[in-house]
């Protein structure tokens, strides 16, 4: 007998039906840190293998219909690879998701890409941005999701203001190439790989650049891209309020951009972020947010980590969905602090896993996707098929 009444159960079913989250192609490949990587026999080395792995995660979780693609890593020949990708989408039943330009690994970008003092290098980077829009068009992807690694390592070595001008110009030019319905998501990150200044270092810079680029540009919040102690849910509330929240890259961190599994360090923070989204929906605040994972599964089994990630995201999304926002609003009005907090954190502590299981069974999904993964032999099969190769595809550090 469920501990939840029928109204709560119905709310839960609707909340989980409405929640889809995009998984990254790079989550299936060998990845590591700048200190090296531990290759895994089951790791994907080709785009076909990544689509196959994504299909397995979708089969088990029912919540991941799209996979984020990284230009250069997944489409080494750029837009010429788009036809092949369409075939893989058909074959595996997973659609291409956001298109991630890659402006951080070519040697030309040593001193920056879109912010490089050389107009020639900036033009090269801009051409890559245009290609990425073209790829998104050919694949029917809505989002071009830009993380810009540009910055500098020492004070005085670059003009930060000149770089702002070059960057604003490039994003406006990119925006002019967007088709109706397409979006440019501008991600921010305080540091790494640059260690003195990063050209798009915080949400204010992203928001300004997005606004200047045009109405189809928005901010992408990567939860790992904040200084210790920053109040991310407040940033989310602001971006919702000003209509610039485009999407998330979810992961967790203890120290920096650690790309750990969502909710593995601070699940309450994810709950607080999701609460802002559910509250915006309840308040009928217009927003259109892409929920995406951006993690590196350096040590965990790649597919196991992906399934665990999606399950955790679903549980935290559901917990936040169950907050009694009307009662919370009344308590906030009255400044009944402890009652408001007890309602809020009490909902966080609610064990919603039985509701998630009920949803899965009702949708014809395995009640326990991790157990189903271990039982279905997929990982054993791909280990056998791929085990001999320790070729590392993504030099991702
Ligand atoms: C790295 C960057 C950033 C980017 C991701 C995929 O820090 O988060 O979104 O790679 O390109 O994690
Ligand atoms: Mn990211
Ligand atoms: Mn990151």
């Amino acid at each position: 007998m469920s501990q939840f009444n029928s109204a709560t159960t119905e709310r839960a079913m609707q909340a989980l039906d409405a929640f889809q989250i995009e998984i990254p192609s790079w989550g299936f490949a060998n990845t590591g840190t700048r200190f090296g990587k531990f290759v895994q026999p089951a790791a994907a080395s080709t785009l076909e293998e990544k689509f196959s792995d994504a299909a397995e995660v979708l089969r088990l979780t029912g919540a991941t219909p799209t996979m984020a693609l990284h230009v250069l890593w997944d489409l080494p020949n750029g837009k010429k690879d788009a036809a092949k990708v369409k075939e893989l989408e058909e074959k595996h039943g997973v659609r291409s998701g956001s298109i991630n330009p890659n402006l951080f690994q070519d040697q030309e970008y040593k001193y920056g890409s879109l912010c490089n003092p050389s107009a020639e290098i900036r033009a090269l980077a801009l051409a890559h941005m245009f290609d990425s829009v073209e790829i998104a068009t050919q694949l029917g992807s809505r989002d071009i999701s830009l993380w810009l690694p540009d910055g500098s390592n020492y004070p005085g070595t670059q003009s930060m203001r000149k770089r702002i001008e070059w960057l604003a110009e490039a994003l406006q030019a990119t925006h002019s190439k967007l088709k109706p319905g397409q979006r440019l998501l501008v991600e921010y990150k305080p540091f790494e790989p640059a260690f003195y200044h990063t050209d798009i270092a915080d949400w204010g810079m992203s928001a300004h650049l997005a606004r200047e680029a045009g109405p189809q540009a928005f901010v992408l919040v990567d939860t790992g891209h904040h200084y210790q102690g920053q109040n991310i849910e407040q940033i989310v509330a602001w971006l919702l309020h000003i209509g610039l929240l485009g999407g998330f890259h979810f992961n967790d961190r203890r120290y920096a951009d650690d790309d750990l599994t969502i909710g593995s360090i601070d699940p309450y923070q994810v709950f607080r972020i999701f609460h802002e989204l559910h509250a915006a929906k309840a308040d009928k605040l217009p927003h259109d947010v892409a929920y995406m994972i951006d993690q590196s599964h350096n040590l965990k089994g790649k597919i196991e980590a992906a399934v665990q990630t999606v399950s955790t995201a679903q549980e935290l999304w559901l917990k936040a969905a169950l907050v009694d926002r009307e009662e919370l609003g009344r308590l906030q009005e009255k400044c009944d602090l402890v009652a408001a907090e007890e309602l809020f954190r009490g909902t966080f502590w609610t064990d919603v896993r039985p509701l998630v299981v009920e949803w899965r069974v009702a949708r014809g999904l395995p009640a326990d996707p991790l157990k189903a993964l271990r039982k279905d032999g997929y990982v054993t099969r791909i280990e056998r098929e791929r085990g001999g190769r320790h070729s590392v595809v993504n030099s991702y550090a």
Side-chain angles (χ1 to χ4, degrees), residues 26 70 104 147 187 189 222 225 249 257 259 294 396:
W26 53 94
H70 223 290
F104 51 83
W147 167 58
E187 186 171 359
K189 180 173 180 181
D222 183 308
H225 292 187
H249 274 176
D257 186 27
D259 281 350
D294 175 13
Y396 181 96

Side-chain angles (χ1 to χ4, degrees), residues 355-367:
L355 285 168
V356 180
V357 170
E358 193 171 333
W359 175 79
R360 287 181 182 133
V361 172
R363 299 299 179 267
L365 296 159

Side-chain angles (χ1 to χ4, degrees), residues 10-30:
E10 185 43 35
R11 238 174 114 192
M13 297 304 117
Q14 287 173 13
L16 289 169
D17 279 342
F19 184 68
Q20 292 184 338
I21 191 161
E22 183 168 294
I23 42 181
S25 67
W26 53 94
F28 296 116
N30 276 314

